[in-house]
Amino acid sequence: MTEPTGPAWTPTGPAWTARVLTLFPEMFPGFLGFSLAGKALEKGIWALDVLDIRDFARDKHRSVDDAPFGGGAGMVMRPEVLDAALEAARGREGGNAGQAVYLSPRGRLLDQALVRDLAAGTGMTLLCGRYEGVDQRVLEARGVAEVSIGDYVLSGGEPAALTLLDAVVRLLPGVLGNEDSPAEESFERGLLEHPHYTRPAEWRGRKVPEVLLSGHHDNIREWRKTQSEQVTRERRPDLWARRSRTNVEDKG
Ligand code: ADE
């Protein structure tokens, strides 16, 4: 077989790789398999490598957790087990799995800026905890970043890891079609998105805003911008305040 030549030939390095450390490997790719991320996984745009943390337990009971020092409820995942799992993840064949991230409600709050940074890297290693959490020392020793997907508590890191992966993978080149530009979405410009409407033009007595039927593209753009600003001011004063500050700085 001859190698393709000419401008269509783009040499490709290893695909962006997600390495996941979990006690429930069967939870991956989970719902990602039903989305564009699943299609992209099949196409090899990204790679998913799931490791079972229990495989790194050393005792005969294959135990991965122990009681917390100082007492209290729940169990804590043991540092030497997680350390061995993280070491194995680092040495795996395939793409460099980049930044290690532990999903935790104590972490830095996930936002679109962090999602963009992670998508721009070579991949990531996601550590999913269960029980009360993980021994803090292994996170420090291995330089693992802590990331939270929101101010609420899940029963494990897996749904958070899937959520983070969904957000990141859709930004990888070739995952979204050209027509689905992320630049127009909520958060990309520090604003929530304008509302959307489709046919019929009137439904249960509710009419689609007139301007959207006008075909006047400048007016439509202006209307969408105003809507976007209004909904952000009303629903997310925190985002609105940050945007106003940034704009002031831009002009200064
Ligand atoms: N694990 C449990 N709750 C979580 C959250 N809010 N974000 C990330 N990981 C979690």
Side-chain angles (χ1 to χ4, degrees), residues 102-110 127-131 146-161:
Y102 170 53
L103 284 309
S104 153
R106 297 178 68 235
R108 166 188 166 176
L109 212 48
L110 180 64
L127 173 59
C128 303
R130 285 269 151 177
Y131 319 115
E146 291 184 67
V147 172
S148 165
I149 63 159
D151 292 339
Y152 41 81
V153 180
L154 303 169
S155 48
E158 287 81 4

Coordinates of all heavy atoms in Angstrom, one line a residue, residues 102-110 127-131 146-161, ligand 1:
Y102 N -7.9 15.0 40.3 CA -8.7 14.3 41.2 C -10.1 15.0 41.3 O -10.1 16.2 41.6 CB -8.1 14.2 42.6 CG -9.0 13.7 43.7 CD1 -9.7 12.5 43.6 CD2 -9.1 14.4 44.9 CE1 -10.5 12.0 44.6 CE2 -10.0 13.9 45.9 CZ -10.6 12.7 45.7 OH -11.5 12.3 46.7
L103 N -11.2 14.4 41.0 CA -12.5 15.0 41.0 C -13.0 15.0 42.5 O -13.1 13.9 43.1 CB -13.5 14.1 40.2 CG -13.4 14.3 38.7 CD1 -13.4 15.8 38.3 CD2 -12.2 13.6 38.1
S104 N -13.2 16.2 43.0 CA -13.6 16.4 44.4 C -14.3 17.7 44.6 O -14.0 18.7 44.0 CB -12.3 16.4 45.2 OG -12.4 17.1 46.4
P105 N -15.3 17.6 45.5 CA -16.0 18.9 45.8 C -15.1 19.9 46.4 O -15.5 21.1 46.5 CB -17.2 18.5 46.7 CG -16.9 17.1 47.1 CD -15.9 16.5 46.2
R106 N -13.9 19.6 46.9 CA -13.0 20.5 47.5 C -12.1 21.2 46.4 O -11.3 22.0 46.8 CB -12.0 19.8 48.5 CG -12.7 19.2 49.7 CD -11.7 18.4 50.5 NE -10.8 19.4 51.1 CZ -9.4 19.3 51.1 NH1 -8.8 18.4 50.4 NH2 -8.7 20.2 51.7
G107 N -12.3 20.8 45.2 CA -11.4 21.3 44.1 C -11.7 22.6 43.6 O -12.8 23.2 44.0
R108 N -10.9 23.1 42.7 CA -11.2 24.3 41.9 C -12.4 24.1 41.1 O -12.6 23.1 40.5 CB -10.0 24.6 41.0 CG -10.3 25.7 40.0 CD -9.2 25.9 39.0 NE -9.8 26.6 37.9 CZ -9.1 27.1 36.8 NH1 -7.8 26.8 36.7 NH2 -9.7 27.7 35.9
L109 N -13.3 25.1 41.1 CA -14.5 24.9 40.4 C -14.3 24.9 38.9 O -13.6 25.8 38.3 CB -15.5 26.1 40.7 CG -16.9 25.9 40.7 CD1 -17.4 24.7 41.5 CD2 -17.6 27.2 41.3
L110 N -14.8 23.9 38.2 CA -14.6 23.8 36.8 C -15.3 24.9 36.0 O -16.5 25.2 36.3 CB -15.2 22.4 36.3 CG -15.1 22.1 34.8 CD1 -13.7 21.9 34.4 CD2 -15.9 20.8 34.5
L127 N -8.6 10.8 38.4 CA -8.7 10.0 39.5 C -10.0 10.1 40.2 O -10.4 11.2 40.5 CB -7.6 10.3 40.5 CG -7.6 9.6 41.9 CD1 -7.5 8.1 41.8 CD2 -6.4 10.2 42.8
C128 N -10.8 9.0 40.2 CA -12.1 9.0 40.7 C -12.1 8.4 42.1 O -11.7 7.2 42.3 CB -13.1 8.2 39.9 SG -13.1 8.8 38.2
G129 N -12.6 9.1 43.1 CA -12.7 8.6 44.5 C -14.0 8.1 44.8 O -15.0 8.4 44.1
R130 N -14.1 7.2 45.8 CA -15.3 6.8 46.4 C -15.2 7.0 47.9 O -14.1 7.4 48.4 CB -15.6 5.3 46.1 CG -16.0 5.1 44.7 CD -17.5 5.1 44.6 NE -18.0 5.5 43.3 CZ -19.2 5.6 42.9 NH1 -20.2 5.2 43.8 NH2 -19.6 6.0 41.7
Y131 N -16.1 6.6 48.7 CA -16.0 6.7 50.1 C -15.8 8.2 50.5 O -16.3 9.0 49.8 CB -14.8 5.8 50.7 CG -14.8 4.5 50.0 CD1 -13.7 4.1 49.3 CD2 -15.8 3.6 50.2 CE1 -13.6 2.8 48.7 CE2 -15.8 2.3 49.6 CZ -14.7 2.0 48.8 OH -14.7 0.8 48.2
E146 N -7.0 19.3 42.1 CA -8.3 18.9 42.5 C -9.3 19.8 41.8 O -9.2 21.0 41.7 CB -8.5 19.1 44.0 CG -7.7 18.0 44.8 CD -7.9 18.2 46.3 OE1 -9.0 17.9 46.7 OE2 -7.0 18.5 47.0
V147 N -10.3 19.2 41.1 CA -11.3 19.9 40.4 C -12.7 19.5 40.8 O -13.0 18.3 41.0 CB -11.2 19.7 38.9 CG1 -12.3 20.3 38.1 CG2 -9.8 20.3 38.4
S148 N -13.6 20.4 41.0 CA -15.0 20.2 41.4 C -15.9 20.6 40.2 O -15.6 21.6 39.6 CB -15.4 21.0 42.6 OG -16.8 21.1 42.8
I149 N -17.0 19.8 40.0 CA -17.9 20.2 38.9 C -19.0 21.1 39.5 O -19.9 21.5 38.7 CB -18.4 19.0 38.1 CG1 -19.2 18.1 39.0 CG2 -17.3 18.3 37.4 CD1 -20.2 17.2 38.1
G150 N -19.1 21.4 40.7 CA -20.1 22.2 41.3 C -20.3 22.1 42.8 O -19.7 21.1 43.3
D151 N -21.0 23.0 43.3 CA -21.1 23.1 44.8 C -22.2 22.1 45.3 O -23.2 22.6 45.8 CB -21.3 24.5 45.3 CG -20.1 25.3 45.1 OD1 -19.0 24.8 44.9 OD2 -20.2 26.6 45.0
Y152 N -22.0 20.9 45.1 CA -22.9 19.8 45.6 C -22.0 18.6 45.7 O -21.0 18.5 45.2 CB -24.1 19.6 44.7 CG -23.7 19.6 43.2 CD1 -23.1 18.5 42.6 CD2 -23.8 20.8 42.4 CE1 -22.7 18.5 41.3 CE2 -23.3 20.8 41.1 CZ -22.8 19.7 40.6 OH -22.4 19.7 39.3
V153 N -22.5 17.6 46.4 CA -21.7 16.4 46.7 C -22.3 15.2 46.0 O -23.5 14.8 46.2 CB -21.6 16.1 48.2 CG1 -20.7 14.9 48.5 CG2 -21.0 17.3 48.9
L154 N -21.5 14.5 45.1 CA -21.9 13.3 44.4 C -21.4 12.1 45.3 O -20.5 12.3 46.1 CB -21.2 13.2 43.1 CG -21.5 14.4 42.1 CD1 -20.6 14.4 40.9 CD2 -23.0 14.4 41.7
S155 N -21.9 10.9 45.0 CA -21.4 9.8 45.8 C -20.1 9.2 45.3 O -19.6 8.3 45.9 CB -22.5 8.7 45.8 OG -23.0 8.5 44.5
G156 N -19.6 9.7 44.2 CA -18.3 9.3 43.7 C -17.8 10.2 42.6 O -18.6 11.0 42.1
G157 N -16.6 10.1 42.2 CA -16.0 11.0 41.2 C -16.4 10.6 39.8 O -16.1 11.4 38.9
E158 N -16.9 9.4 39.6 CA -17.1 8.9 38.2 C -18.0 9.9 37.4 O -17.7 10.2 36.2 CB -17.6 7.5 38.1 CG -16.5 6.5 38.5 CD -16.3 6.3 40.0 OE1 -17.0 6.9 40.8 OE2 -15.4 5.5 40.4
P159 N -19.3 10.2 37.9 CA -20.1 11.1 37.1 C -19.4 12.5 36.8 O -19.6 13.1 35.8 CB -21.4 11.3 37.9 CG -21.3 10.3 39.0 CD -19.9 9.8 39.2
A160 N -18.6 12.9 37.8 CA -17.9 14.2 37.6 C -16.8 14.0 36.5 O -16.7 14.9 35.6 CB -17.3 14.6 38.9
A161 N -16.1 12.9 36.5 CA -15.1 12.6 35.5 C -15.8 12.6 34.1 O -15.2 13.1 33.1 CB -14.4 11.3 35.8
Ligands
ADE1 N1 -17.1 14.0 43.8 C1 -18.1 14.2 44.7 N2 -18.7 15.4 44.5 C2 -18.0 16.0 43.5 C3 -18.1 17.2 42.8 N3 -19.1 18.1 43.2 N4 -17.2 17.5 41.9 C4 -16.3 16.7 41.5 N5 -16.1 15.5 42.1 C5 -17.0 15.1 43.1

